[in-house]
Amino acid sequence: MHFDDGQIPAEYAKHIRRKSLYIIAGLFLTVAVFISSIGMGPVSISAPEVLTTLFGNTISKRFDLIIWNIRLPQALTALAAGAGLSVSGAVMQAILRNPLGSPFTLGISHAAAFGAAVSVMILDFGTMASSNVGAVTINSPYLTTAVAFSFSLIATFAIIGISRLRRATPEVMVLSGVALGALFTAGTMFLQYFADDVQLAAIVFWTFGDVARATWTELGIISAVSLIAYIWFTLNRWNFNAIEAGDETAKGLGVKVERVRLTGMLLASLVTSVIVSFLGIIGFVGLVCPHMVRRMIGDDYRFLLPGSCILGAVLLLTADTAARLMLAPNVLPVSVLTAFLGAPIFIWLIIRGNK
Amino acid sequence: MMNLKVNGLNFNYNGIPVLDGINFCVDKGELLAILGPNGAGKTTLLKCLNAIHKPQHGSVLIGERDVFKLSSDDIAKLLGYVPQRVEPSRLSVFDAVLMGRKPHIKWRVRNHDICIVDAALKRLSLNHLSLRFIDQLSGGELQKVSIARALVQEPEVLLLDEPTSSLDLKNQLEILRTVRSIVKGHNVSAIMTMHDLNTAMRYADKFIFLKNGTIFGCGNAKCVTPEIIQNVYGVEVEVEQRNGCPVIHPVEDLNVIDHNHSHSHNHSHENEAIHNQ
């Protein structure tokens, strides 16, 4: 079969340009939020001063210390974690063909958190102290991540299994996620019950999702894993589009649906596990960000993936900055704020239906 | 000229035989309708042809190429599949059809791909909808998008699973007319499963009657006789010629039914659950 009388329609070119423009605007917004976030805090630093320091020129020892040791790692962690969680949510929504899919709603975050708690408390891969920042110091980040990932796999396979049942509607899947989340939260509570008071304080503090506690090494691991996953996701962007149109359509287009689904879920769970084991549970970012992007530029994964990445990064950084400043001098963990903002949007998504 | 040839196809689903010893061939420019009662294995057969289901025995040849020995991308370049159901999403019509170029796209979409999509949209008169989201389309329009997607795969054979099952009469006729004109115009083949015998008779060149997973009869319109329909469907019918087109209608006296509620047909439904998987 051959078609040779086609041309590039101007309006389609415009349609693609408009979407690309959103992405580019998002990138600029990220940079702007990034610079102003680093500038904001108990010590206010102006944007030019932030830039000068970031380019390696010393303005004052104090600014160097604040930016390089405190604000920069925190801001970068917020960007990386936001991007990772959001893109994982977008991918889970495609491969489970479920608009309510995300690491948090499917219970995968809770499973990873339980795994990390097991590794720190029982397997002794971390030390605990009731100091304010860094209640839990993870001594073996790789092992902790591995244990968190193993537990997240239990939730992942349960979800994949349930998604294979014929009538696994979005609601059924989310309810399964609630059940899994409750199960693993109970596991974490069990550990808490047998903890001594220092450990208890530490683990409670640690289960709040907070981007302030990541070290440079941990930030490196989060970024590397998210980047690798993102590259694989991008290579599969057409496969995700096809799977969203239905398994049969996808198979007819030569997509190896089972393989893409399994690999995609595993990678998304891995990203979640890494983030959760270092930062704790940060909910709703993976659910809400992809949906906001879908509203703006549609379901096309060629744009949805970079869009979710950028919006996730910007939103988590904004939320984190707000959480730092809102109740100053108290610093809120960002997960409290994402839950306050995300929960109403989640309910709205359920009420509005699946479209 | 022969285009697709099926040799001794056998397919078991969890050890239960679904298709047994299927042989047939389709020429270029020919429209084949697979007919038969619910659960006869029509959809399963269609999915075996492009290896969505992997048959245990037999081969499907397109020209010289053995479909089961090709990569999944190469299969998608030879056979375009239009499933019975498509999930609508927030994708523009143009992008939804562009998805059909997936087997051809290496890394990025080339201008050539976009031109092909444009041509296919014009061919199906969908170009005025090209930037509409597919979750805003009617059933008929969505079905056309699905067909356009299969066309831009530039296949040798189109496979359509009940292309008209959820459409009203006008859309049914329009879709089948379009499929037929593409088959004739581009000299490709189309294989479709169908329920409605009369629309099948009207648009297809060749028919296969499937019963309990085997071919019960095969041939052109002349082979569609009251005997074969009685045997395959268990329904007594008359075949009448009307404007050169055979028309089938059941021989059934409604007055008798109205007075005899206990009368019932004994269709075989035993395989239905399997085929609908």
Side-chain angles (χ1 to χ4, degrees), chain A residues 1-5, chain B residues 28-29 123 151 155-156 180-189:
Chain A
M1 187 177 291
H2 237 48
F3 290 101
D4 35 22
D5 52 342
Chain B
K28 286 191 170 173
R123 184 75 188 72
L151 290 183
E156 306 276 320
R180 188 175 168 91
S181 86
I182 287 163
V183 166
K184 303 294 172 189
H186 291 268
N187 205 27
V188 293
S189 317

Side-chain angles (χ1 to χ4, degrees), chain A residues 45-327:
Chain A
I45 307 174
S46 73
E49 286 168 334
V50 169
L51 282 173
T52 316
T53 312
L54 285 182
F55 282 116
N57 305 314
T58 304
I59 294 173
S60 76
K61 259 238 140 33
R62 203 162 69 111
F63 282 6
D64 264 10
L65 211 66
I66 292 172
I67 290 179
W68 289 101
N69 289 359
I70 302 170
R71 293 199 195 154
L72 182 63
Q74 180 162 358
L76 287 176
T77 306
L79 289 180
L85 288 171
S86 174
V87 95
S88 298
V91 166
M92 287 178 178
Q93 286 160 16
I95 50 192
L96 299 174
R97 215 176 309 108
N98 186 335
L100 301 179
S102 82
F104 182 74
T105 45
L106 298 177
I108 293 168
S109 297
H110 303 86
F114 174 63
V118 167
S119 108
V120 171
M121 284 197 61
I122 297 178
L123 304 176
D124 253 358
F125 294 154
T127 42
M128 280 177 272
S130 66
S131 72
N132 198 7
V133 184
V136 174
T137 314
I138 294 175
N139 297 333
S140 331
Y142 301 102
L143 288 172
T144 302
T145 308
V147 178
F149 181 50
S150 319
F151 277 93
S152 79
L153 285 184
I154 299 173
T156 306
F157 282 115
I159 289 293
I160 291 177
I162 293 163
S163 76
R164 289 212 173 139
L165 300 178
R166 289 192 68 187
R167 272 181 243 294
T169 59
E171 289 76 11
V172 168
M173 306 270 294
V174 170
L175 291 177
S176 314
V178 169
L180 286 169
L183 182 68
F184 286 107
T185 308
T188 311
M189 282 164 70
F190 180 80
L191 291 181
Q192 285 172 2
Y193 191 79
F194 289 101
D196 61 43
D197 44 3
V198 175
Q199 283 181 320
L200 182 62
I203 204 163
V204 167
F205 186 72
W206 181 58
T207 44
F208 296 137
D210 188 359
V211 294
R213 63 171 76 117
T215 62
W216 281 102
T217 322
E218 291 167 352
L219 171 61
I221 298 172
I222 293 174
S223 312
V225 171
S226 302
L227 185 69
I228 291 166
Y230 184 75
I231 291 170
W232 188 86
F233 294 154
T234 307
L235 289 172
N236 283 277
R237 60 206 188 281
W238 282 106
N239 293 344
F240 297 144
N241 277 344
I243 290 174
E244 276 216 322
D247 278 14
E248 300 199 332
T249 305
K251 284 177 184 170
L253 292 170
V255 178
K256 296 185 182 71
V257 175
E258 319 298 339
R259 192 192 294 175
V260 172
R261 181 165 287 147
L262 192 64
T263 319
M265 279 303 280
L266 290 184
L267 273 177
S269 303
L270 178 62
V271 172
T272 309
S273 306
V274 172
I275 295 172
V276 167
S277 49
F278 295 146
L279 309 179
I281 298 176
I282 300 170
F284 298 107
V285 175
L287 178 78
V288 170
C289 294
H291 274 287
M292 291 172 71
V293 180
R294 282 173 202 274
R295 299 236 80 164
M296 285 187 271
I297 57 177
D299 289 345
D300 187 345
Y301 273 78
R302 285 181 296 162
F303 299 99
L304 184 55
L305 289 174
S308 301
C309 219
I310 292 168
L311 193 68
V314 168
L315 273 192
L316 195 60
L317 181 57
T318 311
D320 183 54
T321 312
R324 278 197 291 129
L325 302 176
M326 242 167 37
L327 299 178

Side-chain angles (χ1 to χ4, degrees), chain B residues 20 35 45 47 83 100 102 131 275:
Chain B
D20 187 22
L35 304 168
L45 172 55
K47 287 186 186 169
K102 208 222 136 248
L131 295 185
H275 299 310

